[in-house]
Amino acid sequence: MARITKLVLMAAILIAAAFAASSSAPAQQGYGQGYGPPPKITCSSNDGKRNYCNIGGSRDARLVRQISGSPCIQGSTWGVDRGGLWVDRGCRAEFIVGRGGPPPSQIVTCSSNDGKRNWCDIGSSRDVRLTRQISGSPCVQGSTWGLDRRGLWVDRGCRADFRVR
C-alpha cells in the first residue's frame, strides 16, 4: 500500500510540474519572435540644424533608408547619444530602433542635378545595388552610375535609390 501511495504522489508531482511549466509567463513581444519588425521611425534635420528624435530607452538605431539629398553618415550627420537619436546638417532618414532585423544595409538616394556628375558618400562599402530608378533619364551601371574611390556616382540626370551594404 505504501508503494502505491508513493507512485500516486510522484505522479501528482510530475503532473503539477508539467502544468506549472506550461503556464509560465510568455516571452516578451519583440523582433525575431514572430511579432513583426522592430520599430521604425523617421528623423529629420530641419533647416540644417541638429534634431533629436525620441527612441525611448533604446541606445541602438540603424539607418535603413535615406530620404534626404543631404548625406546621412553615422557619427557625422546622425548618431545616438544620451539624448536619443540625432540627425544634423539636413540628414533625413528612416531608422530601425533596437537590435534585430536583416543585415545592416541602407537605401541611399543619389541624384545627378542639372545633368552633372554627383558623388554620394557610402562609406567604405562596395556592395551597391540600384533598387529604384526615380528619374526619367536612364540609370545604367558603368554609364550613368557607378563606384569609384570617391564613392557612388551618378551622371547625366540619373536619380535613383541604391541599397548599400
Side-chain angles (χ1 to χ4, degrees):
M1 179 82 165
R3 186 174 184 167
I4 294 175
T5 305
K6 282 183 184 178
L7 287 174
V8 170
L9 183 58
M10 293 221 4
I13 290 171
L14 287 173
I15 292 171
F19 278 112
S22 67
S23 65
S24 63
Q28 288 186 342
Q29 290 186 2
Y31 189 65
Q33 297 176 332
Y35 294 101
K40 190 187 308 183
I41 65 164
T42 300
C43 196
S44 303
S45 165
N46 300 319
D47 301 322
K49 296 181 179 167
R50 183 168 286 207
N51 181 44
Y52 278 89
C53 296
N54 183 1
I55 57 173
S58 181
R59 292 292 166 251
D60 185 36
R62 192 172 69 241
L63 189 148
V64 291
R65 186 173 76 95
Q66 180 176 319
I67 299 168
S68 61
S70 300
C72 292
I73 303 165
Q74 187 171 12
S76 177
T77 58
W78 77 271
V80 178
D81 62 21
R82 281 194 238 161
L85 172 65
W86 58 267
V87 290
D88 203 358
R89 297 193 300 258
C91 171
R92 188 175 86 203
E94 288 181 354
F95 297 87
I96 288 180
V97 178
R99 298 199 179 272
S105 68
Q106 63 180 357
I107 301 295
V108 174
T109 302
C110 198
S111 304
S112 164
N113 300 319
D114 300 323
K116 296 180 182 173
R117 183 165 289 201
N118 182 43
W119 281 266
C120 297
D121 189 349
I122 57 169
S124 62
S125 177
R126 291 297 169 245
D127 183 3
V128 178
R129 306 266 190 272
L130 189 147
T131 58
R132 182 175 69 107
Q133 181 174 317
I134 300 168
S135 63
S137 300
C139 293
V140 179
Q141 187 172 8
S143 175
T144 57
W145 77 272
L147 296 171
D148 64 18
R149 62 181 176 80
R150 291 176 63 182
L152 170 65
W153 58 267
V154 290
D155 203 357
R156 299 195 302 270
C158 171
R159 179 171 190 214
D161 288 339
F162 296 88
R163 178 170 306 281
V164 179
R165 292 182 199 208

